[in-house]
Amino acid sequence: MAASAASAAAAPAATRAVKDGALLAVTEKPTAPIEGQKPGTSGLRKKTSVFEGTPNYLENFIQSTFNALGEECKGATLVVGGDGRYYNTTAVQVIVRMAAANGFARVWVGKNGLLSTPAVSAIIRNREGGAAVGGIILTASHNPGGPDGDVGVKYNTGNGGPAPEAVTDAIYECSKAVTALRICSALPDVDLAAEGRTEYFASADAAAPGFVVEVISSTADYEAAVLPCFDVPALRKLVAREDFSFVYDAMHGVAGAYASSIFVDALGADPSCLLNATPLPDFGGGHPDPNLAYASVLVKKLGLTPRGERDEAAAATAPAFGAAADGDADRNMILGRGFFVTPSDSVAVIAANWEAIKQFRDAGGLKGVARSMPTSRALDAVAASLGVPRFVVPTGWKWFGSLMDSKAVYGKEDYTPFLCGEESFGTGSSHVREKDGIWAVLAWMSILAARNAETPIGSLVSVEDVVREMWAKCGRCFYQRHDYEEVDSKGAHALMDTLRAEVAAFKGPREVAGVSFTGCDEFEYTDSVTGDKAAQQGMRLFFADGAGRVVFRLSGTGSVGATIRMYVEMNEKDPSRFNADAADVLAPLVAAAIELSHMKEHTGRDEATVIT
Ligand code: G16
């Protein structure tokens, strides 16, 4: 399968030559800066109504991106695709016309406008030996889609990863100064339904095309990057076991475009294992966020309550393994029969079981691991036990890229193969420079395959077994994230200021709401590879000498008001307490953090909007 995917990626597409120079004529359209086009944690995300209802909203941002790239656009190749949400194909057509006018020589567009986020990363890095300068991904990730939902645009650089802050800051600065849009208005719509290459010539006798649009397979380059990471025959053996069954919920996002060829064709699973596998512009009316709250159908199927507790009756007949993806297929949720794996535990378990994963085995082991700061410290304990360097970065996948590129790009220490993860249901490795939901699922299946290579049918080592094994070695990090969504922005900032004042005034341990509050700080980061700095990356409150921790930060991915994220963690080393209910264990920390932050006073809220 891997070999055929690789050759499919290299297969020449049908070519059509169009020799009408008028089509490449550039129109300069006057425009004026639009306020608020500042990329957040992962690109620009706004309500669809803002993109549709504000003249030139998309065009301004794309022109600002190209202006920020400057000379890099000239003669270059750009990748364009998205998660299939409403407005995806409209935006693709606009971007192609603007790319032609801004000097790009070629655009690679995913068939039907579809490309997952990790697929864009793979195409930028690998297709034609890394010929693309970068890519534009049309996604608002896990945010709902449709006319009432969200649209997002993000730029990935030549390493395949999300643009670092220097680039997004430059785009933002350009957005404040943009006065003209460059567009090849006469260029016809790209036929997105069929793979193929269209060459536009500036004149009938031009020797070479002035601009090329290639509609490429959405899946081939991605499969060629991801399948060789795993022992596919071993995965097929697992899937064929009578006592193994699994369900994958693509949540009507772009993962559906990959799920059938990977899980059914390559691994031999029955097509009935796929749920919601047709990408839809409104994600079927759902919220394509793979967590306990929004992947409720899958959660129930796996024998779990909406709080992630085991429902004995339902668990008795549940599949052995379940997983879900978000809109752009970079996030994942992992479930066992009647068992929820927190994303923080997930990356720690993968690290602890690295030998089960061919990609790591072939390289002689992991050379680096990392987590975002709010992610639980489970990975720290595993990294220490393995003796592998461990990094803690601010929230945002872009911060992992420099560590993965440390040797190849910066000539420093080699940390690849590299494993990283975030509490926000993101897990990935150095095979691409984005988090990769399907990679994470295959990593988990590889662990189950390795652990069950010799087990008799009927005694499957389960998801729960491997998680408990990690807890037994490293302790259990009880973990929850409480999100207060669509809070008034002023109140949210005032809450952060209250915590900042707490840090400034902290005089030593004291009791708060019956818990011992032992320290606090504000997280700041210096990238050890590039020297880049990031200030104000979250307020940290420590309890019980650091065993308990609550982090507050404001989300950078919402589109309305502010979202306050409160991440609550308690590290427990005593195995007799591992079976306690996470909500019960964390309740005292939640109460103390709410008191210290003056949550109610700043937000008017009695409780979180979503707890995951
Ligand atoms: C993006 C970033 C992640 C980040 C997440 C949540 O993910 O790539 O690194 O953890 O947003 O960010 P925030 O807490 O600021 O909302 P995605 O899947 O939304 O692109």
Side-chain angles (χ1 to χ4, degrees), residues 348-422:
V349 167
I350 295 173
N353 290 277
W354 64 266
E355 280 170 284
I357 295 156
K358 178 173 177 289
Q359 163 195 7
F360 300 147
R361 221 169 39 232
D362 287 354
L366 280 167
K367 293 213 183 65
V369 299
R371 63 172 171 87
S372 64
M373 180 276 283
T375 302
S376 97
R377 292 163 290 176
L379 182 64
D380 304 14
V382 174
S385 74
L386 296 174
V388 169
R390 183 277 285 141
F391 300 88
V392 178
V393 307
T395 295
W397 206 262
K398 59 191 168 213
W399 296 104
F400 295 126
S402 52
L403 295 164
M404 296 192 226
D405 289 333
S406 177
K407 174 128 199 306
V409 176
Y410 301 94
K412 298 191 176 168
E413 196 76 16
D414 191 4
Y415 300 122
T416 57
F418 190 80
L419 169 72
C420 44
E422 292 190 279

Side-chain angles (χ1 to χ4, degrees), residues 135-225:
I136 293 178
I137 312 180
L138 296 158
T139 179
S141 184
H142 53 291
N143 297 6
D148 300 325
D150 287 0
V151 165
V153 188
K154 93 177 190 171
Y155 182 71
N156 279 33
T157 52
N159 74 341
E165 288 206 331
V167 176
T168 54
D169 287 349
I171 295 173
Y172 180 49
E173 287 308 312
C174 289
S175 81
K176 294 193 277 185
V178 65
T179 53
L181 305 171
R182 291 177 64 80
I183 306 178
C184 287
S185 317
L187 210 61
D189 271 357
V190 181
D191 174 7
L192 295 171
E195 286 175 43
R197 173 184 165 97
T198 308
E199 298 179 341
Y200 292 95
F201 289 78
S203 66
D205 51 2
F211 183 62
V212 175
V213 181
E214 260 182 72
V215 177
I216 62 173
S217 159
S218 304
T219 56
D221 294 278
Y222 173 72
E223 288 175 18

Side-chain angles (χ1 to χ4, degrees), residues 471-486:
W471 291 349
K473 272 195 210 144
C474 300
R476 175 174 181 190
C477 291
F478 287 94
Y479 195 84
Q480 276 185 343
R481 187 174 96 183
H482 295 222
D483 290 337
Y484 292 77
E485 294 177 354
E486 297 188 20

